[in-house]
Amino acid sequence: MFQIDNIREIFFSWEGRLNRKAYILRCLTLGLIMTAIYILLMVITFTTAAAQMGNDLPMMGAFGATYILYLPFIISGYLLAIRRLHDLDLSAFFILLSFVPVVSFFFALYLIFKKGTEGPNAYGPDPLSTEPEMPVFSTSAIHTTNSTEIDTVQADSDTSHDSGVSRS
């Protein structure tokens, strides 16, 4: 089951990397949700406008509501593109290319079709990596000893090379 933190990490994070498949699927998800919102608002608008012939207020309100409801999806789309740029080992600064009219089309194609850098880069580990990340701190590497083991080891070492000095 999804939690708010999972949705925030999936759609509203600019940290890390995002491979092509995840980028395309998440963009399609955003597009489908935006289409459903648009259809729902237009159905409500046209049924309201049909009841109030000659009144353009419901149409203007629906288009205004559409833009307000689209805002989180637009932001999420840019954040996904930034993570995709990170997978290509590029800075988020290149997102500005999406605001140039003709260049934005080729920029979108580049994000969709360009293979990401293999292995870790400056923005994180490879999202397609099959080997697990090396843990920073592993509990299996720690060996604890108690005081009786230490005393036994010291007693064994005392008998192996007796220097004539007694230890207590």
Side-chain angles (χ1 to χ4, degrees):
M1 181 162 187
F2 281 118
Q3 295 177 350
I4 297 297
D5 291 338
N6 291 343
I7 293 173
R8 187 179 314 143
E9 181 182 328
I10 291 172
F11 290 105
F12 294 100
S13 174
W14 61 81
E15 297 174 348
R17 297 169 60 178
L18 193 62
N19 62 16
R20 288 181 289 185
K21 181 180 177 183
Y23 175 71
I24 292 169
L25 290 176
R26 291 175 187 180
C27 286
L28 284 174
T29 302
L30 289 177
L32 289 174
I33 293 171
M34 290 172 67
T35 303
I37 290 172
Y38 182 77
I39 290 172
L40 179 66
L41 285 174
M42 289 303 114
V43 166
I44 292 170
T45 300
F46 286 125
T47 56
T48 307
Q52 301 176 359
M53 293 296 255
N55 189 357
D56 290 336
L57 190 61
M59 289 295 266
M60 292 186 328
F63 286 119
T66 302
Y67 290 123
I68 290 171
L69 291 175
Y70 277 4
L71 190 61
F73 297 102
I74 292 169
I75 292 170
S76 177
Y78 280 110
L79 292 174
L80 290 174
I82 288 171
R83 289 174 60 193
R84 182 71 186 116
L85 283 168
H86 287 174
D87 189 40
L88 299 170
D89 206 15
L90 295 172
S91 169
F93 178 75
F94 286 95
I95 198 71
L96 296 175
L97 292 174
S98 66
F99 294 108
V100 180
V102 176
V103 175
S104 64
F105 174 75
F106 295 105
F107 177 70
L109 290 177
Y110 179 74
L111 290 179
I112 292 171
F113 293 112
K114 176 71 172 140
K115 185 178 180 190
T117 56
E118 293 183 12
N121 65 14
Y123 300 102
D126 189 356
L128 297 177
S129 176
T130 56
E131 54 189 58
E133 289 185 43
M134 184 84 164
V136 176
F137 182 77
S138 176
T139 56
S140 63
I142 299 174
H143 179 71
T144 58
T145 57
N146 58 21
S147 62
T148 57
E149 289 178 349
I150 295 172
D151 292 340
T152 307
V153 171
Q154 285 179 349
D156 290 341
S157 66
D158 286 343
T159 59
S160 64
H161 59 336
D162 193 20
S163 61
V165 180
S166 69
R167 296 185 186 168
S168 51

